Amino acid sequence: MDQTQQCIGMYLLVLSLGLLMDRGTCQHYLLLRPIPSDGLPLIELKEDPDPVFDPREPDLNETELKSVLGDFDSRYLSVLPPVDEKYTGNDELDDFDFQKPGGVLPKEIRALDFDVQFGKKHKPSKKLKRRLQQWLWAYSFCPVLYTWTDLGNRFWPRFVRVGSCLSKRSCSVPEGMVCKPANSTHLTILRWRCVQRKGGLKCAWILVQYPNITDCKCSCSS
């Protein structure tokens, strides 16, 4: 089979797969249909700009605050602006450059049967099937992207490494499904809270749970 025939074969296989999958309503070939975590990613908090609600210098004693906080995971928490690894900021990475799944090929993809009529052959060669499986795996892969986020001086530590899901394009064939949060954890941080009482404004640090995305899956778009 020459190169032209191989290209035609690949196109017919992808087209055939897309038509088969389109028969179901939002049925993905990986059969992954997770329920996205509610409220993720978080909406930016609206803060009162009045500096009277800000913590003062004596309220920011690092030793005391670490004692109140307890577990301090430096992988996700930072008191100072972090010198991040390769990727920083809020701009999403290029999908194709970043999507490099590792490990063992998922059993759902290994089990796919690519039946297509091509000349006298009804099934693709093992090499062509393997290449198509690798392409499907990379295309549907939904990594978690981490960026450092400054929560402001009313949180301690104020810098949190926040997870997000790729959303530039669809992750399914045919298009329609997107990468969405599938699992999350909670980071414990401190929140400066002020309450107006009879004796005046009373402020103190309180422990709060900050949800963070830990897993993304290809799922139906809402």
Side-chain angles (χ1 to χ4, degrees), residues 126-139:
K126 290 184 179 180
K127 182 178 180 180
L128 186 57
K129 181 179 179 180
R130 178 68 179 179
R131 292 173 67 179
L132 186 54
Q133 287 174 334
Q134 292 287 350
W135 177 82
L136 289 174
W137 189 18
Y139 193 83

Side-chain angles (χ1 to χ4, degrees), residues 26 28-30 32-37 40-41 92-93 95-96 98-99 136-145 163-172 175-183 213 215-222:
C26 204
H28 190 245
Y29 49 83
L30 291 183
L32 295 175
R33 303 182 66 180
I35 300 175
S37 302
L40 290 172
E92 224 172 52
L93 306 176
D95 296 357
F96 295 101
F98 187 82
Q99 293 203 20
L136 289 174
W137 189 18
Y139 193 83
S140 62
F141 182 54
C142 290
V144 179
L145 305 183
S164 62
C165 303
L166 286 167
S167 60
K168 281 187 177 181
R169 62 160 176 80
S170 174
C171 55
S172 64
E175 294 186 356
M177 303 179 78
V178 294
C179 292
K180 287 189 172 184
N183 201 3
I213 296 171
D215 188 29
C216 300
K217 296 292 184 182
C218 193
S219 60
C220 298
S221 59
S222 55

Side-chain angles (χ1 to χ4, degrees), residues 14-15 18 28 42 45 60 68 79 96 117 134 155 209 211:
V14 174
L15 179 61
H28 190 245
L42 293 178
L45 182 66
L60 296 171
V68 175
V79 178
F96 295 101
Q117 180 70 38
Q134 292 287 350
F155 288 89
Q209 298 292 307

